[in-house]
Amino acid sequence: GAVVSQHPSRVICKSGTSVKIECRSLDFQATTMFWYRQFPKQSLMLMATSNEGSKATYEQGVEKDKFLINHASLTLSTLTVTSAHPEDSSFYICSARRGQSTGELFFGEGSRLTVL
Amino acid sequence: AQTVTQSQPEMSVQEAETVTLSCTYDTSESDYYLFWYKQPPSRQMILVIRQEAYKQQNATENRFSVNFQKAAKSFSLKISDSQLGDAAMYFCAYRSAKRGAAGNKLTFGGGTRVLVKP
């Protein structure tokens, strides 16, 4: 299957700093990528849909200025958590769609963010 | 909005036995996709099986099979001959077949943890 890679897999930062997480589709082009957040022992909650070359579409309740998403190329989307606070600590997972609207989705390995 | 419900937080199965995970969903659409994903301790989401709503035949993938009841909006997963490596969180998910933004999103259920006893 196709490969989606996230980096870093684990990051610890101080409160008030910003953290960037990268999501790359390694062997296919992804016009659309998705960012999810997963709290311990809970399900995945969609945060935003990232479209190459255009603004991301955020889900209701997700702060656009807090979670900056950039999809500058067909193989890379980034999520920046700005002015991170302890409540932003979570597991962040990206997925990328291969092909058009009914294309299969492939998931990254996830990134665990811990804000001290 | 679509919702997906998994009523079993945890299921335990003896190795080599069979376990069935429940999933129900709510939608007003007639065409959509349903999925079961496995999330092992590594947290990597792995697609287990996929079902197109327009297909009446239940999908199967080796030891994994589904019972898709469209009228009842039910989509259960059966794991046969359970193996230790099957231990993981299992998520049921829904995706619209509409093109555009609506067809992008995966809506996940709350998950069911499967424990496999040797």
mmCIF file of all heavy atoms in Angstrom, chain B residues 33-60:
data_model
loop_
_atom_site.group_PDB
_atom_site.id
_atom_site.type_symbol
_atom_site.label_atom_id
_atom_site.label_comp_id
_atom_site.label_asym_id
_atom_site.label_seq_id
_atom_site.Cartn_x
_atom_site.Cartn_y
_atom_site.Cartn_z
ATOM 1 N N TYR B 33 -19.586 4.666 1.959
ATOM 2 C CA TYR B 33 -18.622 3.608 2.218
ATOM 3 C C TYR B 33 -18.524 3.391 3.723
ATOM 4 O O TYR B 33 -18.631 4.337 4.513
ATOM 5 C CB TYR B 33 -17.235 3.977 1.690
ATOM 6 C CG TYR B 33 -17.203 4.325 0.225
ATOM 7 C CD1 TYR B 33 -17.328 5.649 -0.191
ATOM 8 C CD2 TYR B 33 -17.038 3.339 -0.741
ATOM 9 C CE1 TYR B 33 -17.294 5.973 -1.529
ATOM 10 C CE2 TYR B 33 -17.006 3.660 -2.086
ATOM 11 C CZ TYR B 33 -17.132 4.979 -2.471
ATOM 12 O OH TYR B 33 -17.103 5.296 -3.797
ATOM 13 N N LEU B 34 -18.276 2.174 4.091
ATOM 14 C CA LEU B 34 -18.062 1.837 5.498
ATOM 15 C C LEU B 34 -16.731 1.110 5.625
ATOM 16 O O LEU B 34 -16.339 0.346 4.733
ATOM 17 C CB LEU B 34 -19.194 0.956 6.027
ATOM 18 C CG LEU B 34 -20.574 1.609 6.061
ATOM 19 C CD1 LEU B 34 -21.654 0.570 6.249
ATOM 20 C CD2 LEU B 34 -20.633 2.656 7.167
ATOM 21 N N PHE B 35 -16.059 1.363 6.718
ATOM 22 C CA PHE B 35 -14.725 0.804 6.915
ATOM 23 C C PHE B 35 -14.575 0.278 8.344
ATOM 24 O O PHE B 35 -15.227 0.752 9.269
ATOM 25 C CB PHE B 35 -13.648 1.882 6.719
ATOM 26 C CG PHE B 35 -13.728 2.634 5.425
ATOM 27 C CD1 PHE B 35 -14.568 3.730 5.292
ATOM 28 C CD2 PHE B 35 -12.952 2.258 4.348
ATOM 29 C CE1 PHE B 35 -14.630 4.443 4.108
ATOM 30 C CE2 PHE B 35 -13.006 2.959 3.150
ATOM 31 C CZ PHE B 35 -13.844 4.046 3.028
ATOM 32 N N TRP B 36 -13.680 -0.667 8.475
ATOM 33 C CA TRP B 36 -13.154 -1.034 9.786
ATOM 34 C C TRP B 36 -11.650 -0.811 9.742
ATOM 35 O O TRP B 36 -10.956 -1.295 8.830
ATOM 36 C CB TRP B 36 -13.448 -2.499 10.125
ATOM 37 C CG TRP B 36 -14.822 -2.718 10.649
ATOM 38 C CD1 TRP B 36 -15.912 -3.140 9.952
ATOM 39 C CD2 TRP B 36 -15.254 -2.522 12.002
ATOM 40 N NE1 TRP B 36 -16.993 -3.218 10.787
ATOM 41 C CE2 TRP B 36 -16.622 -2.855 12.044
ATOM 42 C CE3 TRP B 36 -14.614 -2.119 13.182
ATOM 43 C CZ2 TRP B 36 -17.373 -2.786 13.223
ATOM 44 C CZ3 TRP B 36 -15.359 -2.051 14.340
ATOM 45 C CH2 TRP B 36 -16.725 -2.388 14.355
ATOM 46 N N TYR B 37 -11.177 -0.045 10.727
ATOM 47 C CA TYR B 37 -9.758 0.210 10.868
ATOM 48 C C TYR B 37 -9.268 -0.421 12.165
ATOM 49 O O TYR B 37 -9.978 -0.464 13.177
ATOM 50 C CB TYR B 37 -9.468 1.713 10.922
ATOM 51 C CG TYR B 37 -9.515 2.409 9.588
ATOM 52 C CD1 TYR B 37 -10.690 2.981 9.115
ATOM 53 C CD2 TYR B 37 -8.368 2.507 8.807
ATOM 54 C CE1 TYR B 37 -10.721 3.627 7.887
ATOM 55 C CE2 TYR B 37 -8.398 3.157 7.576
ATOM 56 C CZ TYR B 37 -9.575 3.716 7.124
ATOM 57 O OH TYR B 37 -9.611 4.351 5.910
ATOM 58 N N LYS B 38 -8.022 -0.856 12.123
ATOM 59 C CA LYS B 38 -7.363 -1.429 13.301
ATOM 60 C C LYS B 38 -6.279 -0.463 13.741
ATOM 61 O O LYS B 38 -5.526 0.059 12.914
ATOM 62 C CB LYS B 38 -6.739 -2.780 12.923
ATOM 63 C CG LYS B 38 -5.845 -3.411 13.965
ATOM 64 C CD LYS B 38 -5.227 -4.686 13.406
ATOM 65 C CE LYS B 38 -4.284 -5.342 14.415
ATOM 66 N NZ LYS B 38 -3.661 -6.581 13.867
ATOM 67 N N GLN B 39 -6.220 -0.195 15.039
ATOM 68 C CA GLN B 39 -5.161 0.646 15.577
ATOM 69 C C GLN B 39 -4.434 -0.136 16.667
ATOM 70 O O GLN B 39 -4.881 -0.204 17.796
ATOM 71 C CB GLN B 39 -5.704 1.962 16.138
ATOM 72 C CG GLN B 39 -4.602 2.937 16.531
ATOM 73 C CD GLN B 39 -5.116 4.251 17.081
ATOM 74 O OE1 GLN B 39 -6.059 4.283 17.859
ATOM 75 N NE2 GLN B 39 -4.502 5.357 16.664
ATOM 76 N N PRO B 40 -3.306 -0.746 16.323
ATOM 77 C CA PRO B 40 -2.527 -1.496 17.318
ATOM 78 C C PRO B 40 -1.826 -0.541 18.262
ATOM 79 O O PRO B 40 -1.924 0.677 18.106
ATOM 80 C CB PRO B 40 -1.540 -2.276 16.438
ATOM 81 C CG PRO B 40 -1.408 -1.461 15.197
ATOM 82 C CD PRO B 40 -2.727 -0.791 15.002
ATOM 83 N N PRO B 41 -1.102 -1.050 19.241
ATOM 84 C CA PRO B 41 -0.392 -0.175 20.184
ATOM 85 C C PRO B 41 0.556 0.817 19.520
ATOM 86 O O PRO B 41 0.835 1.866 20.073
ATOM 87 C CB PRO B 41 0.372 -1.173 21.060
ATOM 88 C CG PRO B 41 -0.478 -2.390 21.051
ATOM 89 C CD PRO B 41 -1.044 -2.464 19.657
ATOM 90 N N SER B 42 1.029 0.508 18.341
ATOM 91 C CA SER B 42 1.895 1.450 17.618
ATOM 92 C C SER B 42 1.152 2.706 17.179
ATOM 93 O O SER B 42 1.776 3.699 16.802
ATOM 94 C CB SER B 42 2.486 0.768 16.383
ATOM 95 O OG SER B 42 1.466 0.502 15.432
ATOM 96 N N ARG B 43 -0.173 2.653 17.227
ATOM 97 C CA ARG B 43 -1.083 3.767 16.892
ATOM 98 C C ARG B 43 -1.251 3.964 15.385
ATOM 99 O O ARG B 43 -1.979 4.855 14.960
ATOM 100 C CB ARG B 43 -0.640 5.077 17.547
ATOM 101 C CG ARG B 43 -0.420 5.011 19.027
ATOM 102 C CD ARG B 43 -1.671 4.697 19.798
ATOM 103 N NE ARG B 43 -2.663 5.746 19.765
ATOM 104 C CZ ARG B 43 -2.710 6.768 20.622
ATOM 105 N NH1 ARG B 43 -1.822 6.872 21.573
ATOM 106 N NH2 ARG B 43 -3.666 7.676 20.527
ATOM 107 N N GLN B 44 -0.580 3.182 14.566
ATOM 108 C CA GLN B 44 -0.744 3.295 13.116
ATOM 109 C C GLN B 44 -2.113 2.744 12.725
ATOM 110 O O GLN B 44 -2.450 1.616 13.039
ATOM 111 C CB GLN B 44 0.350 2.496 12.401
ATOM 112 C CG GLN B 44 0.176 2.402 10.905
ATOM 113 C CD GLN B 44 0.699 3.614 10.188
ATOM 114 O OE1 GLN B 44 1.858 3.957 10.317
ATOM 115 N NE2 GLN B 44 -0.149 4.280 9.439
ATOM 116 N N MET B 45 -2.893 3.532 12.032
ATOM 117 C CA MET B 45 -4.217 3.102 11.581
ATOM 118 C C MET B 45 -4.066 2.199 10.357
ATOM 119 O O MET B 45 -3.428 2.568 9.372
ATOM 120 C CB MET B 45 -5.065 4.317 11.212
ATOM 121 C CG MET B 45 -5.385 5.215 12.383
ATOM 122 S SD MET B 45 -6.540 4.483 13.535
ATOM 123 C CE MET B 45 -8.075 4.689 12.648
ATOM 124 N N ILE B 46 -4.675 1.044 10.434
ATOM 125 C CA ILE B 46 -4.569 0.061 9.350
ATOM 126 C C ILE B 46 -5.973 -0.276 8.859
ATOM 127 O O ILE B 46 -6.846 -0.638 9.649
ATOM 128 C CB ILE B 46 -3.876 -1.220 9.851
ATOM 129 C CG1 ILE B 46 -2.486 -0.880 10.396
ATOM 130 C CG2 ILE B 46 -3.787 -2.265 8.736
ATOM 131 C CD1 ILE B 46 -1.869 -2.004 11.200
ATOM 132 N N LEU B 47 -6.181 -0.177 7.558
ATOM 133 C CA LEU B 47 -7.481 -0.536 6.999
ATOM 134 C C LEU B 47 -7.645 -2.049 7.038
ATOM 135 O O LEU B 47 -6.816 -2.791 6.524
ATOM 136 C CB LEU B 47 -7.592 -0.036 5.556
ATOM 137 C CG LEU B 47 -8.867 -0.407 4.821
ATOM 138 C CD1 LEU B 47 -10.085 0.235 5.493
ATOM 139 C CD2 LEU B 47 -8.794 0.015 3.355
ATOM 140 N N VAL B 48 -8.733 -2.486 7.643
ATOM 141 C CA VAL B 48 -9.015 -3.916 7.742
ATOM 142 C C VAL B 48 -9.915 -4.372 6.604
ATOM 143 O O VAL B 48 -9.648 -5.360 5.921
ATOM 144 C CB VAL B 48 -9.681 -4.243 9.101
ATOM 145 C CG1 VAL B 48 -10.093 -5.718 9.153
ATOM 146 C CG2 VAL B 48 -8.747 -3.905 10.250
ATOM 147 N N ILE B 49 -10.986 -3.615 6.410
ATOM 148 C CA ILE B 49 -11.968 -4.024 5.416
ATOM 149 C C ILE B 49 -12.832 -2.843 5.015
ATOM 150 O O ILE B 49 -13.005 -1.915 5.809
ATOM 151 C CB ILE B 49 -12.824 -5.192 5.969
ATOM 152 C CG1 ILE B 49 -13.467 -6.010 4.859
ATOM 153 C CG2 ILE B 49 -13.843 -4.705 6.976
ATOM 154 C CD1 ILE B 49 -13.978 -7.360 5.326
ATOM 155 N N ARG B 50 -13.350 -2.888 3.811
ATOM 156 C CA ARG B 50 -14.131 -1.786 3.261
ATOM 157 C C ARG B 50 -15.372 -2.354 2.586
ATOM 158 O O ARG B 50 -15.310 -3.408 1.966
ATOM 159 C CB ARG B 50 -13.268 -1.037 2.260
ATOM 160 C CG ARG B 50 -13.982 -0.132 1.271
ATOM 161 C CD ARG B 50 -13.002 0.427 0.276
ATOM 162 N NE ARG B 50 -13.655 1.101 -0.823
ATOM 163 C CZ ARG B 50 -13.270 2.280 -1.320
ATOM 164 N NH1 ARG B 50 -12.242 2.893 -0.786
ATOM 165 N NH2 ARG B 50 -13.898 2.817 -2.326
ATOM 166 N N GLN B 51 -16.482 -1.612 2.741
ATOM 167 C CA GLN B 51 -17.746 -2.054 2.135
ATOM 168 C C GLN B 51 -18.385 -0.886 1.405
ATOM 169 O O GLN B 51 -18.519 0.197 1.974
ATOM 170 C CB GLN B 51 -18.701 -2.553 3.229
ATOM 171 C CG GLN B 51 -20.095 -2.907 2.778
ATOM 172 C CD GLN B 51 -20.182 -4.280 2.162
ATOM 173 O OE1 GLN B 51 -19.609 -5.240 2.661
ATOM 174 N NE2 GLN B 51 -20.928 -4.396 1.072
ATOM 175 N N GLU B 52 -18.763 -1.093 0.153
ATOM 176 C CA GLU B 52 -19.521 -0.078 -0.560
ATOM 177 C C GLU B 52 -21.000 -0.318 -0.307
ATOM 178 O O GLU B 52 -21.452 -1.459 -0.406
ATOM 179 C CB GLU B 52 -19.237 -0.154 -2.066
ATOM 180 C CG GLU B 52 -17.861 0.321 -2.463
ATOM 181 C CD GLU B 52 -16.805 -0.755 -2.391
ATOM 182 O OE1 GLU B 52 -17.091 -1.854 -1.890
ATOM 183 O OE2 GLU B 52 -15.675 -0.497 -2.848
ATOM 184 N N ALA B 53 -21.726 0.726 -0.007
ATOM 185 C CA ALA B 53 -23.133 0.565 0.372
ATOM 186 C C ALA B 53 -23.986 0.010 -0.758
ATOM 187 O O ALA B 53 -25.005 -0.647 -0.518
ATOM 188 C CB ALA B 53 -23.702 1.892 0.855
ATOM 189 N N TYR B 54 -23.587 0.248 -2.016
ATOM 190 C CA TYR B 54 -24.400 -0.226 -3.124
ATOM 191 C C TYR B 54 -24.221 -1.721 -3.373
ATOM 192 O O TYR B 54 -24.972 -2.330 -4.125
ATOM 193 C CB TYR B 54 -24.081 0.557 -4.395
ATOM 194 C CG TYR B 54 -22.694 0.364 -4.944
ATOM 195 C CD1 TYR B 54 -22.390 -0.703 -5.787
ATOM 196 C CD2 TYR B 54 -21.682 1.254 -4.631
ATOM 197 C CE1 TYR B 54 -21.114 -0.874 -6.292
ATOM 198 C CE2 TYR B 54 -20.402 1.089 -5.128
ATOM 199 C CZ TYR B 54 -20.118 0.032 -5.965
ATOM 200 O OH TYR B 54 -18.865 -0.137 -6.464
ATOM 201 N N LYS B 55 -23.235 -2.303 -2.730
ATOM 202 C CA LYS B 55 -22.993 -3.735 -2.906
ATOM 203 C C LYS B 55 -23.742 -4.521 -1.827
ATOM 204 O O LYS B 55 -23.609 -4.243 -0.640
ATOM 205 C CB LYS B 55 -21.506 -4.049 -2.820
ATOM 206 C CG LYS B 55 -20.693 -3.557 -3.996
ATOM 207 C CD LYS B 55 -19.251 -4.025 -3.884
ATOM 208 C CE LYS B 55 -18.449 -3.573 -5.105
ATOM 209 N NZ LYS B 55 -17.014 -3.989 -5.003
ATOM 210 N N GLN B 56 -24.511 -5.478 -2.245
ATOM 211 C CA GLN B 56 -25.253 -6.289 -1.279
ATOM 212 C C GLN B 56 -24.372 -7.361 -0.642
ATOM 213 O O GLN B 56 -24.597 -7.776 0.480
ATOM 214 C CB GLN B 56 -26.458 -6.940 -1.962
ATOM 215 C CG GLN B 56 -27.529 -5.937 -2.377
ATOM 216 C CD GLN B 56 -28.780 -6.621 -2.901
ATOM 217 O OE1 GLN B 56 -28.727 -7.764 -3.322
ATOM 218 N NE2 GLN B 56 -29.889 -5.924 -2.862
ATOM 219 N N GLN B 57 -23.376 -7.786 -1.394
ATOM 220 C CA GLN B 57 -22.521 -8.846 -0.890
ATOM 221 C C GLN B 57 -21.616 -8.317 0.211
ATOM 222 O O GLN B 57 -20.996 -7.254 0.055
ATOM 223 C CB GLN B 57 -21.682 -9.424 -2.020
ATOM 224 C CG GLN B 57 -20.865 -10.632 -1.635
ATOM 225 C CD GLN B 57 -20.213 -11.291 -2.825
ATOM 226 O OE1 GLN B 57 -20.210 -10.756 -3.928
ATOM 227 N NE2 GLN B 57 -19.656 -12.468 -2.618
ATOM 228 N N ASN B 58 -21.526 -9.055 1.298
ATOM 229 C CA ASN B 58 -20.671 -8.659 2.394
ATOM 230 C C ASN B 58 -19.199 -8.824 2.031
ATOM 231 O O ASN B 58 -18.798 -9.841 1.453
ATOM 232 C CB ASN B 58 -20.976 -9.504 3.636
ATOM 233 C CG ASN B 58 -22.319 -9.174 4.235
ATOM 234 O OD1 ASN B 58 -22.732 -8.008 4.262
ATOM 235 N ND2 ASN B 58 -23.013 -10.193 4.715
ATOM 236 N N ALA B 59 -18.394 -7.839 2.407
ATOM 237 C CA ALA B 59 -16.966 -7.900 2.113
ATOM 238 C C ALA B 59 -16.267 -8.898 3.037
ATOM 239 O O ALA B 59 -16.670 -9.094 4.193
ATOM 240 C CB ALA B 59 -16.350 -6.515 2.291
ATOM 241 N N THR B 60 -15.236 -9.531 2.512
ATOM 242 C CA THR B 60 -14.405 -10.433 3.318
ATOM 243 C C THR B 60 -12.946 -10.193 2.962
ATOM 244 O O THR B 60 -12.622 -9.870 1.812
ATOM 245 C CB THR B 60 -14.745 -11.910 3.068
ATOM 246 O OG1 THR B 60 -14.478 -12.202 1.683
ATOM 247 C CG2 THR B 60 -16.196 -12.208 3.372
#
